[in-house]
């Protein structure tokens, strides 16, 4: 159904936009991002579902977020979960085994096909019977994990940066307080076909078959403190040693080690020290940080990890639930932040409207040093006009920084989500139209909201990179958080 929706773009001349070259679904560079390999780039690890971003077919993904777009190329990483994209059925071969007569007769009755005049029945008009091959089973006997190339099997268009992991979070995927059936040799992942076991050896085979450049190693996770938390850390280190010891079988794959430990800072430090002793570890992936309720403790753990690890080793935060957690992670020094926020907000009928560009403007008590840094921003690309974003939060009834489009206040609102936004939803549609789609329970509403939220979130990461480059991350964070209060 998604593939047939009317989202294909028309010619640029027919679009109601004064600057069509800046449209997100155009293959030309968006907003002319500065191409400097030395500049600090913060990347969004987008949580995919079944190997692709939600609501986007491969064609729509490459059309509205093309890989040759500079912002997409610099700030988007597709996160592929093994638990939902690599699970396949296993069939038993039953040659030599004859089913019972009763079962055979039942199969013959089920598979009887009545063929009419031109259907190929016999000369006397009798009904022909077709039975299934009894030597093959049509019902899977189980499921396992098989890694196949992402560009062929998962249909991910070429050109996108990808990263694979067993799961982004064991607790979230299990929908319970503790993972299910975790042993010293394997972990059970919640797949669309129930819980399936994944061992380090099987994970190596999957990583080899996926043909992606970056993989996060198998890990265990626990919320409870004490022995269970310590045991999860020991299993994670044990599996890391087994995977990195056999890395020769996966040449060309960069392995990221998971740092676990729950809310126990000392246990996470011990896990980090054991990880740094291992060879062939390319980067660090912080697991379960979003489960920690205390914001100060989350920041302390991230700062401790950054301080105790080599500067050249990249760090990633697998899950961030909101913009504040993303800001804290980037402010602490993490360069890859994972989230499913665009899809989560789309399913809640919400659209991001945070002003991303007001931090560039001068303030009354601006210091001379900040004034010099701000003048350097004049060389950056021209930004979209979202100055009116803060005035559009009347009647939202939702999270801060968003508007909730199912509110009746938008019935006759003919304005876009954000004035000047170049996403497909804001260029071609209005708030009232999306409100109508939500009221009619049309999936097109969630598709448009997801496109807008992903577009705006990529702009958010682009502006964070500019702020880091200018040394004004504190100012950018204050500007964003002032809108989230």
């Amino acid at each position: 159904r998604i593939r047939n929706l009317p989202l294909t773009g028309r010619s640029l001349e027919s679009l109601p936009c004064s600057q069509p070259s800046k449209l997100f679904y155009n293959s030309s560079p968006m907003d002319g991002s500065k191409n400097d390999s030395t500049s600090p780039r913060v990347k969004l690890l987008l949580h995919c579902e079944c190997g692709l971003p939600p609501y986007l077919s491969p064609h729509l993904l490459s059309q509205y977020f093309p890989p040759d777009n500079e912002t997409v190329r610099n700030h988007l990483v597709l996160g592929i979960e093994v638990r939902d994209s690599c699970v396949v059925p296993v069939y038993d071969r039953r040659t030599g085994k004859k089913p019972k007569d009763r079962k055979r007769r039942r199969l013959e009755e089920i598979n009887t096909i009545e063929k009419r005049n031109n259907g190929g029945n016999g000369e006397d008009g009798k009904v022909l019977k077709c039975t299934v091959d009894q030597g093959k089973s049509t019902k899977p006997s189980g499921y396992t994990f098989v890694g196949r190339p992402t560009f062929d099997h998962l249909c991910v268009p070429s050109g996108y940066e990808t990263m694979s992991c067993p799961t982004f979070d064991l607790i979230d995927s299990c929908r319970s307080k503790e993972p299910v059936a975790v042993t010293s040799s394997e972990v059970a992942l919640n797949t669309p076909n129930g819980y399936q076991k994944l061992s380090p050896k099987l994970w190596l085979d999957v990583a080899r078959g996926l043909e992606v450049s970056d993989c996060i190693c198998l890990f265990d996770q626990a919320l409870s403190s004490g022995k269970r938390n310590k045991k999860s850390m020991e299993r994670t280190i044990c599996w890391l040693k087994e995977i990195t010891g056999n890395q020769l079988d996966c040449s060309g794959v960069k392995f990221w080690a998971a740092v676990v430990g729950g809310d126990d800072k000392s246990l996470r430090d011990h896990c980090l020290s054991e990880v740094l002793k291992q060879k062939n570890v390319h980067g660090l992936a912080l697991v379960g940080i979003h489960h920690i309720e205390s914001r100060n403790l989350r920041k302390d753990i991230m700062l401790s990890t950054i301080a105790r690890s080599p500067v050249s080793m990249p760090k990633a935060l697998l899950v961030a639930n909101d913009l504040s957690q993303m800001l804290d992670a980037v402010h602490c020094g993490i360069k890859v932040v994972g989230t499913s926020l665009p899809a989560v907000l789309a399913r809640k009928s919400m659209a991001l409207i945070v002003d991303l560009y007001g931090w560039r403007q001068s303030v009354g008590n601006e210091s001379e040093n900040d004034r010099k840094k701000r003048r350097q921003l004049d060389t950056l690309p021209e930004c979209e006009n979202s100055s009116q974003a803060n005035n559009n939060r009347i009647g939202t009834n939702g999270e801060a920084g968003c508007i909730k489009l199912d509110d009746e206040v938008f019935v006759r609102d003919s304005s876009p989500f954000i004035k000047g936004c170049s996403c497909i939803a804001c260029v071609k549609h209005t708030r009232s139209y999306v409100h109508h789609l939500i009221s009619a329970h049309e999936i097109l509403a969630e598709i448009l909201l997801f496109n807008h939220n992903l577009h705006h979130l990529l702009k958010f990461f682009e502006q964070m990179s500019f702020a880091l480059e200018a040394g004004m991350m504190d100012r950018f964070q204050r500007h964003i958080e002032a809108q989230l209060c």
Side-chain angles (χ1 to χ4, degrees), residues 158-171:
S158 60
Y160 291 94
E161 187 176 355
T162 57
M163 175 182 287
S164 66
C165 63
T167 180
F168 297 114
D169 191 88
L170 278 174
I171 309 298

Side-chain angles (χ1 to χ4, degrees), residues 84-145:
D84 63 2
S85 60
C86 298
V87 59
V88 296
V90 177
Y91 296 94
D92 285 341
R93 296 292 179 180
R94 298 182 180 179
T95 54
K97 294 184 179 180
K98 295 182 179 180
K100 296 180 180 180
D101 293 340
R102 183 175 60 183
K103 182 177 181 181
R104 184 173 61 252
R105 288 195 301 268
R106 182 167 46 113
L107 288 174
E108 290 177 353
E109 293 175 359
I110 293 175
N111 292 277
T112 298
I113 302 175
E114 183 177 356
K115 300 186 178 180
R116 303 196 179 274
N117 296 332
N118 297 326
N121 43 326
E123 296 178 357
D124 54 355
K126 293 183 179 180
V127 177
L128 300 179
K129 293 184 178 181
C130 303
T131 58
V132 296
D133 184 6
Q134 301 296 336
K136 298 181 181 179
S137 174
T138 58
K139 182 179 179 181
S141 59
Y143 295 87
T144 186
F145 297 97

Side-chain angles (χ1 to χ4, degrees), residues 77-357:
V77 180
L78 300 181
I80 300 175
E81 279 187 302
V82 170
R83 72 175 186 90
D84 63 2
S85 60
C86 298
V87 59
V88 296
V90 177
Y91 296 94
D92 285 341
R93 296 292 179 180
R94 298 182 180 179
T95 54
K97 294 184 179 180
K98 295 182 179 180
K100 296 180 180 180
D101 293 340
R102 183 175 60 183
K103 182 177 181 181
R104 184 173 61 252
R105 288 195 301 268
R106 182 167 46 113
L107 288 174
E108 290 177 353
E109 293 175 359
I110 293 175
N111 292 277
T112 298
I113 302 175
E114 183 177 356
K115 300 186 178 180
R116 303 196 179 274
N117 296 332
N118 297 326
N121 43 326
E123 296 178 357
D124 54 355
K126 293 183 179 180
V127 177
L128 300 179
K129 293 184 178 181
C130 303
T131 58
V132 296
D133 184 6
Q134 301 296 336
K136 298 181 181 179
S137 174
T138 58
K139 182 179 179 181
S141 59
Y143 295 87
T144 186
F145 297 97
V146 175
R148 287 175 282 185
T150 56
F151 303 117
D152 297 333
H153 172 60
L154 299 179
C155 300
V156 177
S158 60
Y160 291 94
E161 187 176 355
T162 57
M163 175 182 287
S164 66
C165 63
T167 180
F168 297 114
D169 191 88
L170 278 174
I171 309 298
D172 294 341
S173 62
C174 292
R175 298 179 182 178
S176 61
K177 292 185 178 180
E178 296 295 341
V180 180
V182 180
T183 65
S184 58
S185 60
E186 57 192 7
V187 61
L189 300 180
N190 186 15
T191 72
N193 302 103
Y195 285 94
Q196 307 299 330
K197 297 178 180 179
L198 181 62
S199 63
K201 183 178 182 302
L202 183 56
W203 165 238
L204 275 173
D205 296 338
V206 173
R208 186 189 307 112
L210 282 175
E211 297 182 2
V212 297
S213 58
D214 297 88
C215 292
I216 298 175
C217 293
L218 195 63
F219 61 87
D220 188 15
Q221 185 182 358
L223 280 181
S224 59
S225 58
K227 295 183 178 179
R228 177 66 182 88
N229 199 12
K230 184 178 180 181
K231 191 66 177 178
S232 67
M233 186 272 296
E234 294 174 352
R235 288 171 178 163
T236 301
I237 298 301
C238 180
W239 295 339
L240 175 64
K241 293 178 181 179
E242 184 175 350
I243 292 175
T244 55
N246 298 326
Q247 192 180 11
L248 294 178
D249 299 335
C250 300
S251 58
V253 179
K254 301 175 183 177
F255 286 103
W256 294 55
V259 180
V260 298
D263 57 358
D264 191 339
K265 184 175 178 295
S266 60
L267 191 61
R268 283 187 176 269
D269 291 341
H270 178 66
C271 180
L272 177 61
S273 62
E274 292 295 326
V275 166
L276 295 178
K277 294 178 183 178
Q278 309 304 318
K279 298 180 180 180
N280 303 324
V281 175
H282 175 72
L284 301 175
L286 279 69
V287 178
I289 297 293
H290 64 291
H291 291 299
I292 303 175
E293 296 181 358
S294 174
R295 183 178 183 180
N296 292 331
L297 182 57
R298 289 198 303 265
K299 295 172 67 174
D300 290 343
I301 290 176
M302 289 187 289
L303 288 173
S304 177
T305 302
I306 300 300
R308 294 166 59 90
S309 58
V311 179
S312 59
M313 182 175 289
K315 291 87 179 176
L317 179 66
L318 289 189
V319 181
N321 288 334
D322 51 39
L323 297 181
S324 296
Q325 294 184 11
M326 298 179 197
L327 288 169
D328 290 340
V330 174
H331 193 271
C332 292
I334 295 175
K335 299 300 182 183
V336 180
V337 182
T339 186
S340 58
L341 189 62
V344 171
L345 294 179
R347 291 176 179 129
K348 294 180 180 179
S349 304
M350 292 183 178
L352 286 169
I353 59 166
V354 178
D355 177 21
L356 304 178
Y357 308 99

